[in-house]
Amino acid sequence: MNVPGRAGEEGHGRPHGDEVALADALLLERDREQAVLSAVIGELRSGRPALVTVTGEPGSGQGELLRWAARHAAERGLCVLTARATPAERDLRYGVVGQLLSGHQRFADQLPHLLLDQGGPGRFPGLTRLLTMARERPTLLVVEDIHQLDPDSLRWLEALIRRLPRAPLAVLTGSIRTADIGLDWCAGTPLTGSATIVELALPGLTRTGTADAVRAFCGTFGDRSFVAAVADATGGNPAVVRDTLRRFARAGHPPDAGHVEHVRALAADVTGEHAAAALDGVRDPVALDVLRALAVCDDLLDFPLVLTLSEPGALSETRLRAALLDSGLVVVRDGRFRVRGPVVRARVIEEMPTGERADLHARAAELAHRAAADDQGIGDLLLSARPVGAPWAVDTLCRASAAALRGGRRDRAAAYISRALAEPLSEETRIRVLLRLARVELVIAPVAAGRRMGGIIREPGEAAADFRARAGDLCLLGGDTDTVRRALAEFLAGRRPDEARGTPPGPGEAEGATDRHEELTALFRVAQPLCRMPGEVAFPPAPELPRASRNPAVNGVRAWETAVRGADREEARRQARTALAPDPSGRPPLTVPRLLACRTLLLTEDGEEAETHLCALLAEAHRAHCSVSVARVLSLRAELHLRHGRPDSAARDLAAADRELPPDSRHPLSYPYWTALGILTDLANGRPDRARAAAGRPVPPPAEEAVSGARLLFARGLLAQADDDPYRARSLFRACGRWLLQYGWTNPALLPWRSGAAEAAHALGDTAQALRLAREELELAERWGTPGSIGAAQLCLATMSGEDRVQRLRWAVDSLGRAPSRAAYTRAVVALASAESGEPDRVTAAAAPAAGGAGTGVAGPYGVVARRPGILAPTPAGALADAPPSAWRTLSPGERAAASLAARGLVNREIAAALSVTTRTVELRLSGVYRKLRIRGRDELRALVQGTEED
């Protein structure tokens, strides 16, 4: 932004010293314009008159170019008269004419008349004498900032231009108005063919010109990123580039990439200062009011509507538009008046008194609401407005917040909701808005959101009755179990389920109060065991849940409590399905109990049913724009993918959860859960380095006592086992078990820590402990009754004991064949093939991989195998004895392994996972098998194998 009276443009004489460099900066990339002006001056010396207008944005260097032309003309012997219009002289008759005539002694006798006789009508004073003088000597008139001309000087100049053909005289003018001035101010003047008419529009600096300016001020070439930053921050405006680089050079910094942000900040300061100087030049109060209204409304409202926010008075709209353009702070874009840039807009608003600013924003917001403007635009106005006290304000801010969430602008969404709390609200509406704000803050400020939701839970009175459970539900989703436990303990300790407003409740009110109490109790039971409290902190035990209830929250929590105890699979399944059914009372369902119900279905191995419900929950969370809910549902679906042997899908869901709820935005108490899930996913996808990096990060102190720490201990145990560190693995698995047993969580389908500890103990030579743990896990798995848990326990026990090993492996294969995880089934098949091939009295029809095969390990619920390097299954001695010996001997070890697993019914993807090769490699190996054995596919291979086994 450049304005009349700006630094570096005072006076009309030739600059000296450092001013030369500053002047040259404003003439960068003006070679074409200088050539045109030189040609005009040359023609003027030959007697041809001319009219030249130079236009451009403020700061484009119009004044410097005109002064260069004046010096150039004077050096060639022309008579040069100069003047500059200023706002201070707009009410002075012939103010610019007086400046022009004072430049020559011939007009000395007319100056007193011009200055003293301001009230007379006048008749173009000095015009005739000027034309006479021009006939004697070619004359150039240079007038800067003609948009500031007083009316009499404007008429005088128009009269002079009409007479240009009569004398060798040229008029050179400059203006900052780019949209509607040009030559329009002298329209209708018959000059065509008799005078040269030129209009020069000055563009901003290009990147090359900006680079030249950087080199001129800094004394060296600028880095490409630095030059780009200067060009972008200044918009290529020569005056802003000049002042910015002058300040930067004074600091002595090199123009490199390391100082990009510094020069951006300097450019913003310079732009703001130029805007403030231009704002000081706006003398008309009506124009100032409209300018402020334009800055407040930005592009939200059309110009006629903006005018209604101010008092136009006697000023016509045409003169008002001209005054706004004359200020240099307003531009016309796409036919609309707009304040020039966000920095200028902010400076105009900052210059307003605080009270007037808040009132103007409020009136603009109300006008925008009546004009049905964009919700976010109205919300932006309300952010700086005083409370308007109307219901539409709160509704608009809530809609603006939802729109901001859809666009991923969580900070702005929180600002809208916070502003809504400043309006006068009913108690119920206030709590609803608080809950909406907490839901947004769960992503950007989880600890503050927890405190806010704890306050809602503790809120006295019936206004908060329908919001307490929802607040607790959100808080648990965010991982802040400590806040939920404390708030619910305080509330439930002093509240009876049938307590109402002090009057006897009706039947419907009593039923609603009971439902709300049951929901709070269910959430309390979820929160209470999740943290082991010091002995000196006493909390009341969680109340028992009713055994028979239609409340989905009660059934979801009861299903989970039944599942973790591993006592009654059918009852847990029934309760989970009841929790996921629509609530008969029509109350909005809570998310945490339904997630626990889906997790229960995972433990009962009803994975497809759980996945269907999770997809529905995910769609619901997306519709509500609740990022923490979306992240939690995605994380549970990632667990489902791991249990079903789909690690790539688990990684995708976990990455999506990270985008919804970034790691830095999670509550500290939820850290172990997310870290453990990441470790398990990385191990399942064969990325142990990432798993080690995650496992090595310190746990925040508040999370050390969380029960999700058991999951993290288990994941670290698997990592230690994969790294062949049985000492550390056994310690971590046993620590995990101690945590789970403390809470009574004995179901091996949850976390099979006994299998991991038994495997580690077996590797360390402690066979007694290994057998005890493996048998205990098998007993608990049979008590729970899911095929996957039983098969995994059988597989673990078979690796511990030599007796009945093959039979146990067959049982494991049979059980795991009915389990959802095909990866666990593949490992059992490979282990059985290895065991059978070593029996002296039996010729097997299945072979283990000859290289890169599976070693011993934990067939856990997450599709992760903790392998011990260097322990490979033995190569079978007599595979496929009845096949043509010569043909079988031609098979490579890899082809034999692929043929053996294909004969067992494994698909190519499962064979690839078992052999640690790609699916394409399996396809090529099987093709070689079919060709060498002269068979046509899996059916003949399976028949060949079965015939061998029957023999």
Side-chain angles (χ1 to χ4, degrees):
M1 174 63 57
N2 205 11
V3 295
R6 53 192 175 267
E9 295 192 10
E10 293 81 358
H12 306 285
R14 187 177 182 86
H16 299 283
D18 293 339
E19 295 182 5
V20 174
L22 299 180
D24 292 341
L26 292 178
L27 293 176
L28 283 173
E29 297 187 318
R30 298 291 182 252
D31 296 338
R32 181 185 69 87
E33 290 80 4
Q34 288 176 314
V36 170
L37 293 177
S38 295
V40 168
I41 292 171
E43 290 181 351
L44 179 61
R45 294 182 63 192
S46 301
R48 182 174 178 83
L51 171 62
V52 182
T53 62
V54 180
T55 63
E57 291 189 354
S60 295
Q62 303 94 313
E64 189 58 42
L65 186 62
L66 264 61
R67 286 190 286 276
W68 174 88
R71 294 193 299 269
H72 187 70
E75 291 170 354
R76 280 154 181 75
L78 299 180
C79 178
V80 179
L81 303 179
T82 62
R84 182 178 187 180
T86 63
E89 295 181 349
R90 292 200 69 164
D91 296 329
L92 181 66
R93 294 187 67 196
Y94 300 115
V96 167
V97 174
Q99 293 184 45
L100 285 171
L101 300 183
S102 65
H104 200 283
Q105 59 182 4
R106 181 176 295 188
F107 303 96
D109 59 335
Q110 287 192 329
L111 289 180
H113 171 72
L114 286 172
L115 297 176
L116 297 177
D117 190 14
Q118 292 293 311
R123 183 65 181 172
F124 306 133
L127 184 58
T128 303
R129 190 175 299 184
L130 175 62
L131 293 172
T132 302
M133 184 184 70
R135 294 186 187 97
E136 299 172 0
R137 182 183 177 189
T139 302
L140 174 67
L141 270 67
V142 179
V143 183
E144 296 184 44
D145 298 332
I146 59 170
H147 54 281
Q148 302 282 7
L149 279 176
D150 61 273
D152 291 289
S153 294
L154 179 61
R155 288 192 297 271
W156 188 93
L157 203 58
E158 290 172 347
L160 172 65
I161 291 173
R162 288 195 297 271
R163 294 166 174 77
L164 280 182
R166 304 179 187 176
L169 189 146
V171 178
L172 176 58
T173 66
S175 170
I176 68 169
R177 211 185 303 178
T178 60
D180 65 345
I181 188 161
L183 295 173
D184 293 344
W185 64 279
C186 57
T189 304
L191 298 178
T192 304
S194 58
T196 300
I197 301 177
V198 179
E199 182 174 6
L200 298 177
L202 302 183
L205 293 179
T206 65
R207 291 288 175 92
T208 302
T210 305
D212 292 340
V214 171
R215 184 184 180 189
F217 279 93
C218 299
T220 183
F221 288 102
D223 184 83
R224 181 177 299 179
S225 60
F226 182 87
V227 173
V230 174
D232 293 340
T234 62
N237 186 287
V240 179
V241 170
R242 174 199 65 189
D243 292 349
T244 299
L245 291 177
R246 179 169 56 180
R247 295 187 186 185
F248 183 84
R250 285 175 180 173
H253 298 307
D256 55 21
H259 292 88
V260 165
E261 294 304 320
H262 178 59
V263 80
R264 286 185 184 276
L266 285 178
D269 290 342
V270 169
T271 302
E273 291 174 5
H274 286 193
L279 194 60
D280 290 339
V282 180
R283 302 298 178 88
D284 192 314
V286 175
L288 182 61
D289 288 344
V290 175
L291 178 63
R292 289 171 172 175
L294 274 175
V296 166
C297 297
D298 197 20
D299 60 343
L300 192 63
L301 299 175
D302 293 332
F303 188 69
L305 286 177
V306 173
L307 291 180
T308 64
L309 294 174
S310 60
E311 295 293 337
L315 195 63
S316 66
E317 184 172 335
T318 302
R319 289 193 57 191
L320 185 58
R321 291 173 180 268
L324 291 173
L325 291 171
D326 291 348
S327 70
L329 298 169
V330 175
V331 294
V332 179
R333 294 175 184 166
D334 300 326
R336 302 182 64 177
F337 274 65
R338 297 189 62 182
V339 174
R340 188 186 299 274
V343 175
V344 176
R345 177 172 175 264
R347 182 57 66 97
V348 172
I349 295 175
E350 289 170 2
E351 295 293 326
M352 297 176 62
T354 304
E356 294 182 15
R357 184 192 314 148
D359 181 70
L360 179 58
H361 277 88
R363 290 189 291 112
E366 185 173 359
L367 179 61
H369 167 68
R370 293 202 305 269
D374 175 67
D375 287 330
Q376 290 193 73
I378 302 174
D380 290 337
L381 292 174
L382 289 172
L383 288 178
S384 301
R386 54 168 172 75
V388 297
W392 64 262
V394 177
D395 295 339
T396 301
L397 287 167
C398 290
R399 291 195 302 269
S401 175
L405 285 177
R406 288 193 295 270
R409 304 170 63 203
R410 296 188 179 96
D411 291 339
R412 178 62 66 172
Y416 290 142
I417 300 298
S418 298
R419 170 60 183 82
L421 292 171
E423 294 290 328
L425 305 172
S426 67
E427 191 64 19
E428 182 177 344
T429 304
R430 183 185 66 84
I431 297 174
R432 180 182 290 110
V433 173
L434 278 173
L435 187 61
R436 186 188 289 264
L437 176 59
R439 186 174 62 187
V440 178
E441 288 181 334
L442 275 172
V443 181
I444 59 177
V447 176
R451 288 195 297 266
R452 200 179 299 280
M453 287 184 288
I456 294 175
I457 296 172
R458 296 183 179 91
E459 186 80 27
E462 286 302 313
D466 291 329
F467 302 102
R468 295 189 184 96
R470 291 165 60 185
D473 186 56
L474 274 175
C475 210
L476 286 176
L477 285 172
D480 191 1
T481 55
D482 185 48
T483 295
V484 177
R485 185 181 58 258
R486 293 174 183 274
L488 286 176
E490 294 177 15
F491 179 78
L492 293 175
R495 175 99 174 167
R496 300 189 307 276
D498 59 346
E499 184 178 350
R501 301 180 181 84
T503 60
E509 293 178 344
E511 184 178 355
T514 300
D515 288 340
R516 291 192 292 266
H517 187 271
E518 288 181 352
E519 287 178 344
L520 295 177
T521 303
L523 294 178
F524 190 25
R525 290 190 67 85
V526 174
Q528 191 180 39
L530 296 188
C531 188
R532 182 171 54 184
M533 298 302 299
E536 63 272 11
V537 180
F539 278 93
E544 291 293 331
L545 292 173
R547 293 192 174 275
S549 175
R550 297 184 304 170
N551 194 313
V554 172
N555 285 288
V557 174
R558 283 185 60 83
W560 176 244
E561 291 179 346
T562 303
V564 295
R565 291 195 301 268
D568 192 337
R569 178 166 56 109
E570 291 303 323
E571 177 64 15
R573 179 185 286 127
R574 184 192 66 79
Q575 291 170 338
R577 288 171 175 169
T578 304
L580 293 167
D583 188 351
S585 66
R587 291 174 54 79
L590 302 180
T591 303
V592 168
R594 288 184 290 168
L595 287 179
L596 292 177
C598 290
R599 195 181 293 275
T600 299
L601 292 178
L602 290 187
L603 299 187
T604 61
E605 296 186 0
D606 297 294
E608 292 183 2
E609 184 179 353
E611 188 168 9
T612 300
H613 288 294
L614 285 175
C615 290
L617 283 172
L618 185 61
E620 177 185 310
H622 277 300
R623 286 195 300 270
H625 308 294
C626 185
S627 295
V628 67
S629 295
V630 173
R632 280 293 188 172
V633 176
L634 286 170
S635 68
L636 184 52
R637 197 170 69 175
E639 290 187 48
L640 182 147
H641 290 318
L642 288 177
R643 287 178 177 270
H644 287 217
R646 302 192 293 262
D648 51 345
S649 298
R652 285 195 295 270
D653 273 353
L654 191 57
D658 287 341
R659 289 191 295 270
E660 288 288 337
L661 187 65
D664 293 341
S665 299
R666 293 167 184 161
H667 195 278
L669 287 175
S670 67
Y671 176 87
Y673 170 81
W674 291 103
T675 304
L677 185 56
I679 293 172
L680 293 171
T681 303
D682 288 334
L683 283 176
N685 283 283
R687 296 180 291 190
D689 291 339
R690 285 187 52 173
R692 293 188 195 99
R697 299 189 188 103
V699 179
E704 293 177 350
E705 299 294 319
V707 78
S708 57
R711 188 185 301 269
L712 181 56
L713 290 170
F714 180 81
R716 286 174 171 170
L718 283 180
L719 180 61
Q721 202 162 38
D723 290 339
D724 196 22
D725 188 354
Y727 292 100
R728 176 171 171 77
R730 180 171 66 171
S731 175
L732 289 167
F733 284 131
R734 293 178 65 180
C736 170
R738 285 193 295 271
W739 271 108
L740 295 178
L741 291 175
Q742 177 186 354
Y743 302 128
W745 292 8
T746 58
N747 192 343
L750 183 64
L751 293 174
W753 62 271
R754 294 175 183 84
S755 295
E759 169 67 21
H762 183 68
L764 294 171
D766 192 347
T767 306
Q769 185 185 61
L771 286 172
R772 177 179 63 81
L773 289 170
R775 288 168 180 159
E776 184 179 346
E777 175 141 317
L778 179 58
E779 178 183 353
L780 293 170
E782 291 175 340
R783 175 189 170 193
W784 178 240
T786 54
S789 299
I790 295 174
Q794 290 280 16
L795 182 59
C796 176
L797 184 58
T799 61
M800 306 294 135
S801 174
E803 56 185 51
D804 298 330
R805 179 167 181 261
V806 174
Q807 184 58 44
R808 288 191 180 278
L809 287 173
R810 289 171 182 159
W811 289 339
V813 169
D814 179 65
S815 296
L816 292 173
R818 293 178 282 114
S821 175
R822 300 299 296 171
Y825 173 68
T826 302
R827 293 192 292 273
V829 169
V830 172
L832 176 59
S834 301
E836 288 180 335
S837 65
E839 289 186 355
D841 58 344
R842 178 172 178 80
V843 178
T844 186
T856 56
V858 180
Y862 295 100
V864 180
V865 180
R867 298 175 179 171
R868 292 171 56 199
I871 303 178
L872 300 179
T875 304
L880 289 174
D882 287 353
S886 59
W888 181 254
R889 284 194 296 270
T890 62
L891 298 180
S892 67
E895 290 173 338
R896 295 176 191 173
S900 301
L901 295 177
R904 285 281 180 177
L906 275 67
V907 299
N908 289 355
R909 181 173 59 85
E910 296 168 342
I911 298 173
L915 301 182
S916 299
V917 296
T918 64
T919 305
R920 179 59 179 166
T921 301
V922 173
E923 294 173 354
L924 294 175
R925 289 180 181 179
L926 289 179
S927 297
V929 169
Y930 302 152
R931 185 179 65 257
K932 293 176 182 178
L933 297 181
R934 297 181 179 180
I935 58 179
R936 287 177 293 183
R938 287 176 181 262
D939 292 339
E940 294 187 16
L941 178 63
R942 191 176 300 110
L944 181 63
V945 171
Q946 290 174 352
T948 302
E949 290 179 342
E950 292 173 358
D951 293 342

